[in-house]
Amino acid sequence: MNAIINNIEIIKAKTTKINDVDFDNLKFGHVFSDHMLECNFKDGKWQAPKVVPYQAIALDPSAKIFHYGQSVFEGMKAYKDANEDVWLFRPLDNFKRLNISSKRLAIPELPENYFMDGLKTLLQVDNGWIPKKDGSSLYIRPFVFASGGGFHASPADAYKFIIATAPSGAYFSGKVKVLIEEKYSRSANGGVGFAKAGGNYAGQFYPTQLAIDKGYHQVIWTDDNTHEYIEEAGAMNIFVRINDTLITGPTSDRILDGITRKSIIELAEAEGISVEVRKISVQEVVAAAKDGSLKEMFGAGTAAVISPIAGFGYKDADYDLPELDDTYASTLKKRITDIQTNKAEDPFGWRY
Ligand code: PMP
């Protein structure tokens, strides 16, 4: 008999891989836990999810994921505190965003209990995979894709929802040098930039490689229409500090509604930092870099939490940011990670 937890059937792996894992030297997203959650959409509805051994998936060559790119995903983390209690950060926001993404890609939306109960059950089964070490976490990757086949360019009739997890070490990107993009765009009005659609990331790889070839680490995406406003930093939202004000662009068709971004806005305001949500022009950033009022720039996202930017390139010129002792980036990163890992009070009710 297979076990059942939270009404979810569990098919346990016959062996565990956990003894092969060096939990003191984890990279990001390279080893995968013993189990995954699997849920199939067929006959017009989502079938009951199951926890199954982590395994390869067999697909028909005509599966529409391969041809038409119907796929969406999420990224989130589970943390284990000193008492071995397990915490998620705003998981319902990931669930809602997955469905927002699915709707835009004509993928059927998931019921909340399949996502939340499925995730909780998976974490119970693979509890031993959630790292305890400071800075480490279990990275969680929920995704949905078209498994149904046919060469007709239309939505599939079958989908898979899977949650796979990977124990991961602290994500130190170091200080990155970024290139403000003048030609390529990651998103457009009326497009899918606000969705976590797989194809958005495929479209970023080539321009990002061109920037890497020029000696930068990452691209700052600008608006597709004029390339005059900065919008995102790679696969992160972007913040700019001019004098003592923190500025980030408004979410739109083109900018992902990042959970880290909106948490930073609230945390910064609670710290008494003045925050402006408005368009940021490249000219404003360049002028601020020239007159010394540009103090900080950083990316914000689940993987790195906050990734400080050391300098940027724009139109064949490079601009360095100052090296400050006390940064908003380090203050806010500590505040948010202390809440995530149950080291500090959570007045916002974000910890789950
Ligand atoms: N922008 C893009 C394009 C992203 O892929 C991500 C990562 N999900 C983010 C921003 C940051 O979002 P979050 O803080 O929810 O991880």
Side-chain angles (χ1 to χ4, degrees), residues 188-205:
N189 286 330
V192 296
F194 68 90
K196 276 185 79 75
N200 285 346
Y201 301 82
Q204 292 184 204
F205 295 158

Side-chain angles (χ1 to χ4, degrees), residues 303-339:
V305 187
I306 286 181
S307 174
I309 292 170
F312 67 90
Y314 181 63
K315 287 201 196 293
D316 298 323
D318 280 313
Y319 302 85
D320 288 329
L321 273 85
E323 293 206 17
L324 305 176
D325 290 334
D326 279 328
T327 60
Y328 287 176
S330 58
T331 307
L332 293 167
K333 182 168 182 175
K334 182 165 178 357
R335 289 280 293 125
I336 196 167
T337 52
D338 281 355
I339 291 175

Side-chain angles (χ1 to χ4, degrees), residues 236-263:
M236 286 187 276
N237 293 111
I238 188 161
F239 284 82
V240 174
R241 172 182 168 191
I242 296 181
N243 291 318
D244 288 336
T245 301
L246 203 52
I247 313 162
T248 190
T251 56
S252 64
D253 276 6
R254 304 184 305 270
I255 299 184
L256 192 89
D257 186 5
I259 293 162
T260 318
R261 171 190 174 279
K262 65 181 181 188
S263 305

Side-chain angles (χ1 to χ4, degrees), residues 162-230:
I162 290 177
I163 305 181
T165 67
S168 296
Y171 192 108
F172 287 122
S173 53
K175 279 212 162 188
V176 294
K177 259 184 75 186
V178 296
L179 180 65
I180 298 184
E181 182 59 58
E182 293 169 62
K183 175 177 178 187
Y184 296 99
S185 307
R186 72 170 285 281
S187 58
N189 286 330
V192 296
F194 68 90
K196 276 185 79 75
N200 285 346
Y201 301 82
Q204 292 184 204
F205 295 158
Y206 175 67
T208 302
Q209 188 55 48
L210 295 180
I212 291 169
D213 292 344
K214 289 186 192 158
Y216 299 93
H217 300 99
Q218 198 46 270
V219 168
I220 299 295
W221 301 106
T222 47
D223 70 288
D224 62 302
N225 189 21
T226 65
H227 294 288
E228 282 173 11
Y229 294 91
I230 64 168

